[in-house]
Amino acid sequence: MIDRRALLRTSGVAAAAGALGAALPASAEAAESSRPGGTPAPAGTDPTEGVTRTLLQEHPSPAEGWEAVQTLVQIPRHRESGRHSHPGVEVGYIVRGDVLMEFDDRPPLRLRTGDPFFIPDGVIHNARNVGRVTTMMLSTYVVDETQPLVTTY
């Protein structure tokens, strides 16, 4: 079992600052300016490199055995979250950027700044940054408190 807090604190490069308007880590800024738009990450690199997940808040849910967790996810250009699922629903909002949300069981969904999204319990998905800036997503989960927040595939 993955420790939820450890995963959120150590995902990708250094954890992002805990505010929506926070500056990007220097390594993410360098990655953004080093390749022209639309150019994929170099072969052999980890497609999730530089992805950060910052835990914003965590509270017991009104439903016994469940909890509400909110995170700020930042995905640099040409990077992706990696295929994963959650033990409950994810309700999200694209704060900045363009994402292709890919699913194992349905067609992909193109999301842009200002778009909300919903991912059902257990659905395997991958958020791929297809834009020109680091994507920022606000994700709120209502999940089984006995399970890890993220299961990777």
Side-chain angles (χ1 to χ4, degrees), residues 83-84 101-108 122-126 153:
R83 290 176 63 244
H84 65 282
M101 192 69 72
E102 302 167 324
F103 303 94
D104 280 9
D105 65 346
R106 64 193 76 182
V123 169
I124 298 172
H125 58 287
N126 178 46
Y153 298 92

Side-chain angles (χ1 to χ4, degrees), residues 99-123:
V99 169
L100 187 63
M101 192 69 72
E102 302 167 324
F103 303 94
D104 280 9
D105 65 346
R106 64 193 76 182
L109 181 62
R110 178 70 184 256
L111 300 167
R112 294 177 172 87
T113 300
D115 286 342
F117 62 93
F118 178 85
I119 300 175
D121 180 10
V123 169

Side-chain angles (χ1 to χ4, degrees), residues 20-119:
L20 291 177
L24 298 173
S27 59
E29 289 174 355
E32 280 196 82
S33 63
S34 65
R35 289 187 301 277
T39 304
T45 60
D46 178 0
T48 65
E49 182 181 342
V51 174
T52 60
R53 293 174 178 90
T54 303
L55 179 63
L56 300 176
Q57 55 183 327
E58 185 174 25
H59 302 282
S61 169
E64 189 174 330
W66 293 83
E67 68 179 338
V69 179
Q70 189 172 59
T71 64
L72 177 65
V73 180
Q74 294 190 62
I75 305 173
R77 288 176 58 202
H78 315 296
R79 301 292 186 207
E80 60 191 65
S81 64
R83 290 176 63 244
H84 65 282
S85 66
H86 308 284
V89 299
E90 177 180 0
V91 179
Y93 178 78
I94 306 299
V95 176
R96 178 179 72 196
D98 295 296
V99 169
L100 187 63
M101 192 69 72
E102 302 167 324
F103 303 94
D104 280 9
D105 65 346
R106 64 193 76 182
L109 181 62
R110 178 70 184 256
L111 300 167
R112 294 177 172 87
T113 300
D115 286 342
F117 62 93
F118 178 85
I119 300 175

